[in-house]
Amino acid sequence: MDTALTGKQILLIIGGGIAAFKSLDLIRRLRDRGAGVMPVLTRAAEEFVTPLSASALAAQKVYRDLFDLTDEAEMGHIELSRAADLVVVAPATADLMAKMAGGHADDLASTLLMATDKRVLIAPAMNVRMWEHPACQRNAATLRGDGVMFAGPVEGAMACGEFGPGRMAEVPEIIDAITSALSNGPLAGQHIVVTSGPTHEPIDPVRYIANRSSGAQGTAIASALAGLGGKVSFITGPAEMPPPGGVHVIPVQTARDMQEAVIQALPADAAVFTAAVADWRVAAQADTKMKKNGNALPDLKLTENPDILAGVAQMTQGRPRLVVGFAAETHDVLDHAAAKRQRKGCDWIVANDVSAGTGIMGGAENEVTLITDAGPEHWPRMEKTAVARQLAQRIADALAT
Ligand code: CTP
């Protein structure tokens, strides 16, 4: 039994979208883990799931209408909004997100969201064009700024036949996010930004420049931080490793996209830069595929990408309290890493030797040296997940002081 969920009350607002059917499974699985679920259906949600099925699965009354006097007599909307340990909106439609961002209170769901004093986690679900629409992205940014936590959306095939981001996160991922939000771990209430994976810098529509990176170490660190109760914004380039559950995933392609996403995700208590950012991009990306031209080689002019870590480490206002960089080196590891820490201005740097023969790049293990103000500290070779847990605990200790 999941201790983080046992005995917890979750106010589950079900929005009107095709993904609403998954919310029934969410109710069932939350109850399996010992949580109580108070379901609230919007009017649109009733087109997709019946109040009876939500009520039967939750073994509770379903709340539907703001002006239902019986409800008001039993439990007013203010009380209802505060009776839960966490408010979850799944699926969160574009319309519900807009209402939340705009502070509307014209039905039961939006009124509860305005009245609550509890943390709110949303699982957006909508068509890819709607999700990518500037209005929706603006609302998402406002909600993030308000401290609303996100589970998904993820990329995938949609009921409407299109493909892309907008699909609701799968139920186990939403449960991970709920578990992390309810965790009383040492990082509860702290926001941590993690960059991970490679970046892809397009040369033309079919070619790109990239560093090697599976994303394994970054994924493990994000997961460990969420496991300690942290709210994690996971900004990842196109990595092999699927992103962890329980974190807010922000997929990006290029270094400049990653930098933009990091800036959008701030403020944060800590930031951990595990991404293998490509140092260069081509100065002028070709719009069409470059063709081979006899023996003449393409004249690719490179330009340097922004240093995301250095930019954040050297912020004069709103800098995270703890900025952690990684240094993947193939020789003179400690010297290069210590110099990098000074040059970039980060608090800690995690140095590792990625030369061929160590098996670290793409492997399951890592052997790192943590360099702080106190000097280098060598950690024995261990699983990347163990490195992640140890580092997450160190971050929690540092933020607690
Ligand atoms: N980093 C970053 N933005 C960049 C380059 C690197 O945020 N444009 C971060 C990485 O995520 C890592 C640290 O800086 O935390 C060091 O990355 P690394 O590739 O080892 O260093 P570089 O700055 O690229 O230096 P060099 O290539 O000279 O070793």
Side-chain angles (χ1 to χ4, degrees):
M1 175 83 47
D2 241 321
T3 47
L5 291 180
T6 309
K8 295 286 197 260
Q9 288 298 324
I10 290 159
L11 185 73
L12 175 65
I13 295 175
I14 304 177
I18 189 75
F21 77 92
K22 289 192 197 169
S23 304
L24 296 178
D25 189 32
L26 180 61
I27 297 177
R28 193 175 56 78
R29 298 212 204 186
L30 285 169
R31 294 204 60 225
D32 284 350
R33 286 168 173 74
V37 181
M38 299 183 285
V40 174
L41 259 63
T42 64
R43 266 197 213 293
E46 292 187 27
E47 302 290 330
F48 296 92
V49 294
T50 68
L52 192 60
S53 45
S55 158
L57 285 164
Q60 286 221 29
K61 175 177 173 51
V62 171
Y63 297 88
R64 300 158 63 187
D65 196 337
L66 183 55
F67 300 106
D68 183 331
L69 292 178
T70 326
D71 287 352
E72 285 292 323
E74 281 173 10
M75 191 191 282
H77 61 270
I78 303 287
E79 207 182 328
L80 180 61
S81 75
R82 296 178 186 178
D85 297 291
L86 181 74
V87 180
V88 176
V89 187
T93 58
D95 182 58
L96 258 174
M97 285 176 60
K99 280 184 169 170
M100 289 173 75
H104 293 217
D106 60 358
D107 61 4
L108 181 60
S110 54
T111 305
L112 292 172
L113 286 159
M114 279 291 279
T116 188
D117 59 354
K118 296 297 172 357
R119 295 182 83 190
V120 178
L121 171 85
I122 69 172
M126 67 197 73
N127 167 272
V128 56
R129 300 274 167 272
M130 292 173 79
W131 172 250
E132 285 174 347
H133 193 284
C136 192
Q137 287 302 307
R138 218 166 34 238
N139 291 334
T142 302
L143 294 175
R144 272 189 205 109
D146 291 346
V148 170
M149 295 170 292
F150 281 60
V154 295
E155 221 171 66
M158 308 199 158
C160 55
E162 287 185 63
F163 185 90
R167 203 179 135 100
M168 187 160 93
E170 293 303 327
V171 170
E173 281 175 47
I174 301 175
I175 299 227
D176 278 347
I178 293 173
T179 309
S180 147
L182 287 172
S183 157
N184 292 321
L187 287 174
Q190 311 265 18
H191 176 213
I192 300 135
V193 171
V194 178
T195 69
S196 184
T199 63
H200 283 183
E201 312 295 332
I203 296 171
D204 67 13
V206 298
R207 305 177 176 96
Y208 59 82
I209 299 173
N211 283 24
R212 266 184 220 288
S213 168
S214 64
Q217 189 63 82
T219 299
I221 289 170
S223 179
L225 291 165
L228 294 181
K231 174 188 162 207
V232 178
S233 296
F234 183 66
I235 300 168
T236 176
E240 289 160 29
M241 189 65 70
V247 304
H248 174 220
V249 182
I250 304 154
V252 294
Q253 288 286 325
T254 67
R256 285 181 298 170
D257 295 344
M258 185 172 273
Q259 184 186 42
E260 178 60 30
V262 168
I263 292 166
Q264 287 286 328
L266 295 176
D269 298 282
V272 185
F273 294 84
T274 70
V277 182
D279 291 303
W280 306 284
R281 65 176 187 276
V282 292
Q285 183 196 330
D287 293 336
T288 50
K289 186 180 175 193
M290 293 165 65
K291 303 302 285 180
K292 285 193 288 295
N293 180 17
N295 289 331
L297 293 173
D299 181 22
L300 292 181
K301 295 236 175 348
L302 297 182
T303 184
E304 199 164 323
N305 268 329
D307 191 317
I308 309 166
L309 165 62
V312 171
Q314 292 166 25
M315 281 170 75
T316 48
Q317 273 190 337
R319 180 191 190 273
R321 276 197 289 142
L322 182 67
V323 178
V324 183
F326 270 68
E329 308 290 345
T330 55
H331 56 283
D332 301 324
V333 176
L334 288 193
D335 288 348
H336 281 310
K340 218 168 250 185
R341 174 171 170 262
Q342 293 297 339
R343 191 169 70 242
K344 302 203 182 209
C346 53
D347 303 299
W348 298 354
I349 206 149
V350 182
N352 60 354
D353 184 346
V354 292
S355 51
T358 61
I360 284 172
M361 194 87 93
E365 291 182 340
N366 205 351
E367 184 173 343
V368 307
T369 301
L370 175 67
I371 307 179
T372 68
D373 264 344
E377 183 186 311
H378 182 76
W379 293 1
R381 191 176 173 109
M382 55 183 119
E383 295 275 321
K384 285 182 176 170
T385 48
V387 171
R389 277 196 299 277
Q390 196 161 321
L391 186 66
Q393 190 55 56
R394 287 293 286 267
I395 291 172
D397 294 345
L399 292 180
T401 57

